[in-house]
Amino acid sequence: MIRAAALILAAGLVWSCQTRPAASVPEPVPVPPSAAEVSFDSRVQELVTLLPVAESREEARIEIAALGSAAVPALIRASADPDPHQRWETVNLLGLIADPSAIDPLVERVLGEENAHVRWRALWALARTTDAAVVVPKLLLGLSSEDRNVRWRAAIGLSMFESDAGLQIIHEAIRDPDPFRRWEAINALGRVHGAGSIEALLPALRSPSARDRNEAVLSLGQIGGERAVELLLAALEDEASGVRWRAAMVLGKAGGSEVVPRLRALAEADPDPQVKEQASRAADRIEARP
């Protein structure tokens, strides 16, 4: 009986709570920033505006970096400034501070940035701020963009975090008419590669641009394997001494004892003394292996 009475009482309380009109909750009154907060924000903003000025840049960098996360909101706002120098400075500082709240703005800068220097600095900043598990899913979204340039930036960004999701886009860009885009593609294959990557590099190895050939040789060294060594040996005969120098250096890491005679011959006969020295060092390195 006592238990029944308790249940009836509880039910009545529930009904009472359900039927009683809810008390009105007053709207929170906004608290204006204190004078100290206003002064601090003004100082941070002032420092950010000093970054593009050569005479004040270094001091502004030091002071902003010392502020750490407190400076991040102002830096994020400035990371979309029309001036590419300002954008570079701000993403550079975001990387130095490495606050997680900057991850999404940095991804936006990577995918939307037309200036290559700023874009690459934003990638560096992302690598300091977070890891592949966080940033790769965000960059993957760029691969589905209707904008060819966004897809390209996403592919290069993914390669920096060792994701080969944009590998086909990178392969195709080896033939791009834009020299810097070609360089980015060739360079990326030194980080991410797969079936068809060596064949994709063939146009770069035959390019009239020594820069293309230089970078292709370095990427072949990262890919490795019998076919890569075969192409590197052919590069020892390139007309550009810089290509021969790089091919010799890379063969010292990627080649086996079978390449030593070619390296010794290059060390004797090449007209460039730096190539001779590199070829000799590469051969010594291979022979010194256990």
Side-chain angles (χ1 to χ4, degrees):
M1 179 136 183
I2 294 174
R3 185 179 176 191
L7 289 171
I8 292 170
L9 177 60
L13 288 172
V14 169
W15 174 256
S16 174
C17 291
Q18 289 177 340
T19 57
R20 184 180 302 147
S24 59
V25 179
E27 291 291 328
V29 178
V31 179
S34 66
E37 290 171 328
V38 171
S39 176
F40 177 82
D41 289 344
S42 298
R43 178 56 180 162
V44 173
Q45 190 58 47
E46 178 187 2
L47 289 169
V48 169
T49 61
L50 293 174
L51 287 171
V53 183
E55 295 78 8
S56 57
R57 180 177 300 142
E58 193 56 34
E59 290 184 8
R61 284 175 180 167
I62 293 170
E63 191 169 342
I64 290 172
L67 291 173
S69 295
V72 167
L75 290 172
I76 289 173
R77 290 193 296 271
S79 68
D81 192 275
D83 181 0
H85 294 94
Q86 177 73 304
R87 298 198 302 275
W88 189 97
E89 290 290 344
T90 53
V91 298
N92 178 60
L93 281 162
L94 287 171
L96 291 173
I97 295 169
D99 188 290
S101 65
I103 293 172
D104 285 344
L106 285 170
V107 170
E108 290 177 15
R109 191 60 22 224
V110 168
L111 296 178
E113 180 58 60
E114 295 182 0
N115 184 285
H117 299 290
V118 179
R119 178 161 50 87
W120 277 68
R121 202 58 179 172
L123 282 167
W124 168 84
L126 269 175
R128 279 185 51 89
T129 305
T130 189
D131 58 24
V134 173
V135 75
V136 164
K138 297 176 183 291
L139 292 174
L140 282 171
L141 297 175
L143 292 180
S144 59
S145 172
E146 294 182 0
D147 187 322
R148 172 178 179 266
N149 291 321
V150 173
R151 294 195 302 273
W152 171 248
R153 294 165 194 151
I156 291 298
L158 287 162
S159 79
M160 297 294 286
F161 289 89
E162 300 184 352
S163 167
D164 63 359
L167 190 57
Q168 187 56 43
I169 295 174
I170 292 169
H171 282 175
E172 293 168 0
I174 301 291
R175 298 176 181 272
D176 198 278
D178 181 81
F180 187 75
R181 185 166 291 198
R182 285 199 312 272
W183 178 88
E184 285 187 298
I186 300 165
N187 174 270
L189 291 183
R191 294 185 297 276
V192 294
H193 37 263
S197 291
I198 289 180
E199 297 307 308
L201 279 171
L202 291 180
L205 289 166
R206 299 164 184 158
S207 169
S209 165
R211 183 169 81 161
D212 287 358
R213 303 197 305 276
N214 281 338
E215 201 64 32
V217 161
L218 296 177
S219 290
L220 281 173
Q222 294 299 317
I223 296 171
E226 185 177 340
R227 176 62 170 151
V229 169
E230 176 188 332
L231 293 170
L232 289 167
L233 286 170
L236 293 177
E237 300 177 6
D238 195 279
E239 64 181 17
S241 61
V243 177
R244 300 195 304 275
W245 186 93
R246 286 168 175 79
M249 177 188 69
V250 170
L251 281 167
K253 301 175 184 177
S257 58
E258 74 282 358
V259 308
V260 170
R262 289 286 303 278
L263 290 170
R264 293 295 184 201
L266 191 69
E268 288 291 328
D270 198 275
D272 189 309
Q274 291 184 328
V275 175
K276 286 184 174 183
E277 181 185 1
Q278 185 61 261
S280 179
R281 289 171 58 189
D284 290 344
R285 180 175 184 175
I286 293 171
E287 291 180 333
R289 291 175 192 160

